[in-house]
Amino acid sequence: MEKTDGVTTVLSPDICVIGAGSAGLSVAAGAAAFGVPVVLIERGRMGGDCLNYGCVPSKALIAAARHAHAVRKAAEFGVIAGESTIDFEKVHVHVRSVVDAIAPNDSVERFTAMGVRVIEAEARFIDRDTVTAGRLTIRARRFVIATGSSTIIPPIPGLADIDYLTNETLFDLTRLPEHLMIIGAGPIGMEMAQAYKRLGARVTVVDEARALAKEDPEMTRIALDRLRDEGIAIFENSRVLSVEKSVAGVRLQCETEMGPMTIDGSALLLATGRKGNISGLDLEAAGIAVTSTGIAVDGSLRTNNRRVYAIGDAAGGLQFTHAANYHASLVLREILFRLPARENRNIVPRATFTDPEIAAVGLGEDEARKRHGQVAVLRWPYAENDRAQAERATGGLIKVIASKRGKVLGVSIVGAGAAEMINLWSIVIANGQALRHLRNAVAPYPTMTEIGKRAVIAYYTPLTRKPFVRAIIRLLRRFG
Ligand SMILES: Cc1cc2nc3c(=O)[nH]c(=O)nc-3n(C[C@H](O)[C@H](O)[C@H](O)COP(=O)(O)OP(=O)(O)OC[C@H]3O[C@@H](n4cnc5c(N)ncnc54)[C@H](O)[C@@H]3O)c2cc1C
């Protein structure tokens, strides 16, 4: 596997993975588990975005914010906690300690012990089947590009002259910004908006489109009402025209739905969408085509260079850690077992960790109508659930879309625990199951999961009024 000609060392593993984030680590771990020689190249921190600059620190921050909020809300439960104070430096210590606690799982030591050859350097292609990293040359049977994504920096005049935050710097803050302005009302922007608001900052969000635009408006309305109630200023369909330094820190000149507006804040976070990391890889040398969002791949995540796959955020499609892990399982199937594997985006759930959470899997209502014509739309509100009442978490809704024959096509949930509740529906959608499979299952009482069960039962309610069904019951009553 390893040859040295005095100057460079040439490695020839079966698989060379570029990027040790969620996607790359999963491929490397899976290959090593089967005893397949694998090289993993990482130029930055092991664990990639999810561990260091994404899911983990953001969810740790959200957890701190949830505690702050719970203290404020405690009186509603008869618990008098008094006024809370936030020690943001300690919040930062909490966030870092969560990252540190998970980091050993993704470490060089752990992966080396698994049998993965980890190279800490930047990788780039020099031809169609060769990559260099530091002083090493790697000629692998297959390459997997898993280089992740970065924030898209919008071409707003003045942006280059100010210090702005992205997800790579946000979690380094040890002082709470007095007024955090966020450009971008997608999941990252809205999650961070609520967390910072709950931790005591003033927060303003500006987006040129609808907030949380990828989700069903019926669901987002419930979440956005709550975020606005908590005091977050959200300007939808509004453009930031320019950015400049100001006495407070940063000034935005915006065109909003209410007309021109100047917004002064102390810090600016860009949450303006993400683009695959491809610069520096010299993809042209390997003949690999790109798109505007990342690396061009086919349905089995192969690039136009048949030796090379691109997965996770780098492929420019679904940008979630669980999608990255799913991609890894698909390419392992193809590379190790030579079995065909096709990405099915329909089975990959989405979750936004605002409070209330928003989660969805499968088709949305409009898409389901387009593809299936007549569909059943079943709804059940959290307010009709006993557990939600007990928890005072009644602001929520489930919406289940089913075909005429009862096959579940898509589900959206907004409300407490939505990201956990969607798991059940992911299983249903992945296995092509129908409402009757859920009707047959028993949910423990009192749980929020019952909300889904009640939506399913709503599908069968018209049966109780059918003359034919009533006639059968009347007939059966005659037998004693
Ligand atoms: C603030 C935030 C919150 C998020 N929250 C969630 C969440 O709650 N749930 C969820 O599912 N997803 C979440 N995501 C998305 C999630 O983080 C990504 O989808 C996931 O990290 C993608 O994994 P990846 O392996 O494709 O890329 P990454 O994790 O980014 O890993 C790519 C790695 O490749 C390395 N690399 C790049 N170029 C080279 C090169 N030339 N040579 C060597 N190494 C290279 C990088 O240094 C990096 O370590 C969040 C993202 C952000 C920014």
Side-chain angles (χ1 to χ4, degrees), residues 18-24 41-45 47-50 53-55 58-59 121-123 146-149 167 171 188 274 277 281 311-314 319-322 324 353:
I18 307 174
S22 312
I41 310 171
E42 172 55 56
R43 69 176 178 191
R45 290 193 191 167
D49 261 13
C50 183
Y53 318 107
C55 331
S58 64
K59 266 73 249 177
E122 182 160 43
T147 48
S149 64
N167 67 297
F171 304 107
I188 296 173
R274 305 188 62 79
N277 290 329
L281 278 171
I311 63 171
D313 283 15
Q319 294 182 323
F320 301 108
T321 286
H322 50 275
F353 294 87

Side-chain angles (χ1 to χ4, degrees), residues 417-441:
E420 296 290 343
M421 277 160 62
I422 206 71
N423 276 308
L424 171 69
W425 298 95
S426 295
I427 298 169
V428 168
I429 299 260
N431 292 296
Q433 288 179 329
L435 295 168
R436 71 188 146 81
H437 292 106
L438 287 135
R439 184 197 59 202
N440 295 343

